[in-house]
Amino acid sequence: MLKKLEEILKTFRKEIKDAKDKKSHEELKRKYASRDSALVEISRDLKDLDPDQKREFGIKINEVRTEVFSALNELEDALKYEELKKQLEKEKIDISLQGMTFKRGSKHPLNLVIDEISDIFTELGYEMVSGTEFESDEYCFQKLNMPIGHPARDMQDTFYVDEKNVLRTHCTNMTARRLTQLSKMNVEEKSIASISYGNVYRRDDDDATHSHQFMQIDGFAVGKKINFATLKWTLEYMCKRLFSPKTKIRLRPSFFPFTEPSCEVDISCVNCSGSGCKVCKNTGWIEILGSGMIAPEVIEQNGLDSNEVGGLAFGIGVERVAMLKFGINNIRDFYENDIRFLEQFKFFGD
Ligand code: DAH
């Protein structure tokens, strides 16, 4: 019997040496470590031995079993390790490869200016309204004191869509729209303060500072107690917040068909603070917006009583403000979507 056991061990040692894969490991497990393995088989013969032989054989068989089990475990571990190694080799990550970078967008400089100006005015109690770029001749011109034939609405300046409609030439169309709406509202006191922004279109010659499409912010306030001082304070407050607390403003008489009196507003030069430089063409001042007191005719043309209410109005070129604020020389930079240009504004705004 001992001899038989030796035989089993000998063949096991040989077989495990040759076993190189999972399948042969399984086979060996079944042959030497299962319930009907040769080792279990031989143990059954124990009962026929006398006590001394039984002990001797028992010890031997235990030794053989221990050897068999640990060899099988070792083989299993080795096979698993090999498999893992192969898998890792296949999935090897080359950490020297350049990673993917995800670019964060930034706010467009024109939006930064719009956001800032709308913050200023909404804090002052103005409502923000949106309008359409496709506008009727009536709201773009007629209700703003520009009857048919008025030079300011000359064919040369305006893109006509058809006889009655245009691409708006200014955002002041929203002043006419809101005033007309106000005149129809059933309220005790007719008062309103409103700003709107958006694209406007003109058949201007394109050059470094002019484009046939640009953006404006237009605002107005109408009520009983609005006077020229309110206008001046409002514009000064806005310019100081927009540029610097040291910014000064200068009002120059001007003409707009829908305001009376009208004025052009200059700010002290953002570059030289007024001493004279290239940016301000040595004048110390930079023209920034148009404004005035809403003309009584306009109040009336939109259904309100000019003896009851008066109003202030202003219109700002968004590109112009952005060019001054950020030192941009060419208006086309805003529209070319050059990532290198846009990325510079990453750190502005919220
Ligand atoms: N609408 C004028 C323009 O486009 C700008 C303007 C001037 C708007 C005076 C106003 C204003 O509201 O009061 O040139």
Side-chain angles (χ1 to χ4, degrees), residues 118-134:
S118 33
D119 278 353
I120 295 171
F121 282 100
T122 42
E123 279 171 34
L124 287 176
Y126 281 66
E127 59 168 19
M128 169 68 104
V129 293
S130 57
T132 55
E133 296 169 25
F134 177 83

Side-chain angles (χ1 to χ4, degrees), residues 26 55 82 109 135 157 184 208 250 312 331 345 350:
E26 287 296 318
R55 188 151 32 85
E82 274 310 309
E135 184 54 288
D157 299 320
K184 291 176 185 156
R250 178 175 82 170
L312 61 83
I331 197 167
F345 302 93
D350 27 83

Side-chain angles (χ1 to χ4, degrees), residues 54 63 84 100 108 148 178 226 294:
K54 219 185 225 173
E63 277 171 13
L84 186 68
M100 279 204 277
H108 193 279
I148 290 163
R178 289 301 283 146
I226 288 166
I294 300 178

Side-chain angles (χ1 to χ4, degrees), residues 169-172 175 200 202 214 216-220 256 258-259 262-264 289-294 312-316:
T169 54
H170 55 181
C171 283
T172 321
T175 306
V200 301
R202 290 198 196 167
F214 54 103
Q216 284 189 335
I217 296 185
D218 208 285
F220 75 95
F256 299 105
F258 37 85
T259 46
S262 303
C263 47
E264 215 94 55
L289 56 94
S291 71
M293 301 306 292
I294 300 178
L312 61 83
F314 52 88
I316 310 162

Side-chain angles (χ1 to χ4, degrees), residues 1 4-5 33 48 54 63 70 99 123 127 237 257 296 317 320:
M1 243 171 100
K4 209 170 156 192
L5 192 61
D48 304 328
K54 219 185 225 173
E63 277 171 13
S70 56
E123 279 171 34
E127 59 168 19
Y237 176 74
R320 181 145 182 78

